Amino acid sequence: MNRLKNNLVVVALCLLCLIVMAVFYISGGFLGKSRSEETDNNDHLIMVGISQLGSESVWRTANTESVQQALSKENGYFPIFNNARQNQENQIKAIRGYISQKVDYIVFAPVTETGWDTVLMEAKNAGIPVILMDRTVDVEDDSLYVTRVGSDMHEEGKKAGMWLEEELRDKGRFDEDINIVILTGNKGSSAEIGRTGGFAEIKNKHKNWHVLEEVDADFTTSKGKEEMRRLLAKYSDIDVVVSQNDDMTFGALEAIRDAGKTTGDGGDIVIISFDSCKEALELVRDGIINVDIECNPLQGQYISDVIKALERGEEIRKEYIVDENVFTKSNVEGYINDRTY
Ligand code: AHR
């Protein structure tokens, strides 16, 4: 009899435990939210699929952080992030994934300029607005994306050329033969195409500017160093290095130092860089880099503003160009402390 009683007590206790656990689970545990409440909360958020092209540079990391901060849950978004690791196929796959998840918006930084027509048409057919971040695309029909937030890369290249014109004039070298090597970012990306084209526009006005070589160094420090070392071994008379981002510049500077040459004002080689991350601005201040053409990665807030405007049914522009500066030793000081990347 006693044994039966004990068994009943054990069964009752087990049932009680199960009931307590179920109530705890349904109520969302310690957070006090039920699962259905959680889903309802997310239902109010704007779902955005973000396809970032990679993580090759300091600039790219800052760009990723900027968009992730702006499109956060606290700001009313449900972001889904994918890093394509420099591979267009990965980006296409990510975008198709976002289409099948029926996201509200797609934000993507295209690794190359061409090859997007089909997947963007799929997004358009699904009624999902696409916002280009940073770089642009070359598509037959520009209604395949609603807007672009980014830089004017062609203008950046022109600024580099115009700075060099002025510098050579100031130094009394305007009519001298000037030998230039160009470290480009990934061939076929709009950053490379724009900067190369913009610089060429100015270079073509000067018959005495000779581009000895233009080489793809992937926007990375290691490739910048490797290519610069090779160029220094091949050409003994390089006057100017145009390096299309700071990461490649850091590598090039190492190779130049290893070769026993100097850079900057009064040095053997003039250094023109792009991006203007904090470490590079410090080198501008220290007279190691002559000029840095800014490319502004802080695009997240602009993208959020565009999405909020679309949500309100407002008209938006086809392109938003972020503010950008040109830094030399004479103006850089006041900008270094506030630089966050
Ligand atoms: O598209 C912007 C460029 O891409 C930046 O200059 C470079 O650092 C990045 O990788």
Side-chain angles (χ1 to χ4, degrees):
M1 190 61 185
N2 259 353
R3 204 171 156 160
L4 183 64
K5 237 183 183 174
N6 284 346
N7 282 347
L8 280 174
V9 169
V10 169
V11 169
L13 279 174
C14 285
L15 274 175
L16 193 66
C17 278
L18 279 175
I19 290 165
V20 169
M21 278 164 67
V23 169
F24 183 73
Y25 181 72
I26 290 165
S27 68
F30 294 116
L31 297 176
K33 274 186 199 163
S34 73
R35 286 173 73 80
S36 59
E37 255 174 5
E38 189 82 53
T39 318
D40 283 352
N41 284 344
N42 285 343
D43 278 353
H44 295 110
L45 300 174
I46 302 167
M47 201 194 270
V48 186
I50 305 161
S51 168
Q52 179 57 285
L53 63 88
S55 46
E56 72 286 1
S57 60
V58 174
W59 189 100
R60 186 66 51 202
T61 304
N63 182 244
T64 297
E65 282 172 11
S66 169
V67 74
Q68 285 181 331
Q69 263 166 29
L71 305 187
S72 63
K73 278 197 175 179
E74 299 72 53
N75 291 337
Y77 297 95
F78 187 89
I80 314 170
F81 185 84
N82 180 271
N83 179 342
R85 305 185 188 288
Q86 302 295 326
N87 181 314
Q88 183 171 33
E89 276 311 305
N90 288 348
Q91 280 202 286
I92 292 174
K93 221 184 280 171
I95 293 170
R96 291 209 165 112
Y98 296 149
I99 296 170
S100 61
Q101 286 173 83
K102 298 186 174 30
V103 297
D104 299 306
Y105 295 88
I106 291 172
V107 170
F108 97 111
V111 66
T112 56
E113 215 172 71
T114 57
W116 302 104
D117 298 74
T118 307
V119 73
L120 293 188
M121 183 56 84
E122 290 167 25
K124 187 176 175 187
N125 289 341
I128 301 173
V130 171
I131 297 165
L132 303 181
M133 173 172 73
D134 165 28
R135 300 181 185 171
T136 191
V137 293
D138 180 5
V139 284
E140 287 278 300
D141 168 8
D142 77 357
S143 75
L144 295 182
Y145 61 91
V146 292
T147 188
R148 177 174 91 97
V149 172
S151 310
D152 186 337
M153 309 288 188
H154 187 89
E155 191 55 32
E156 290 176 358
K158 266 176 80 176
K159 286 178 187 169
M162 290 187 305
W163 177 85
L164 186 58
E165 275 180 333
E166 282 312 303
E167 173 69 2
L168 294 174
R169 202 190 309 275
D170 281 0
K171 295 284 180 315
R173 300 178 69 191
F174 199 75
D175 298 319
E176 259 181 39
D177 281 325
I178 301 295
N179 291 333
I180 303 168
V181 295
I182 304 178
L183 300 175
T184 76
N186 306 99
K187 283 277 177 208
S189 66
S190 70
E192 177 274 317
I193 293 169
R195 289 171 190 168
T196 304
F199 184 76
E201 197 180 313
I202 306 299
K203 188 224 114 198
N204 291 340
K205 297 182 190 164
H206 302 279
K207 293 222 160 23
N208 56 324
W209 292 18
H210 312 291
V211 174
L212 302 175
E213 212 167 305
E214 183 182 300
V215 61
D216 185 344
D218 287 350
F219 281 130
T220 63
T221 297
S222 56
K223 198 81 174 134
K225 183 172 181 179
E226 182 186 318
E227 288 300 341
M228 194 65 224
R229 193 190 293 134
R230 186 184 63 74
L231 291 165
L232 285 161
K234 190 165 168 189
Y235 307 102
S236 57
D237 49 357
I238 298 169
D239 296 301
V240 179
V241 174
V242 178
S243 166
Q244 291 183 353
N245 86 344
D246 287 338
D247 299 73
M248 293 188 295
T249 303
F250 299 145
L253 286 173
E254 279 185 44
I256 293 170
R257 261 195 309 271
D258 292 350
K261 299 210 174 203
T262 57
T263 61
D265 203 17
D268 303 319
I269 300 177
V270 170
I271 304 290
I272 300 177
S273 192
F274 289 80
D275 281 1
S276 306
C277 67
K278 189 173 187 134
E279 195 181 337
L281 292 188
E282 286 166 353
L283 293 175
V284 171
R285 178 198 60 204
D286 298 344
I288 309 285
I289 294 175
N290 296 69
V291 65
D292 208 318
I293 315 298
E294 186 177 27
C295 182
N296 182 353
L298 307 180
Q299 299 165 2
Q301 192 53 52
Y302 289 77
I303 291 169
S304 173
D305 290 347
V306 162
I307 294 177
K308 294 274 159 90
L310 288 168
E311 289 290 298
R312 292 191 297 268
E314 291 169 14
E315 287 276 310
I316 56 159
R317 300 210 305 264
K318 198 68 191 175
E319 191 164 60
Y320 293 88
I321 299 296
V322 291
D323 289 338
E324 294 177 335
N325 212 330
V326 172
F327 296 109
T328 60
K329 203 174 171 141
S330 66
N331 70 346
V332 74
E333 193 62 64
Y335 293 90
I336 297 176
N337 277 349
D338 293 343
R339 188 101 329 188
T340 53
Y341 54 92

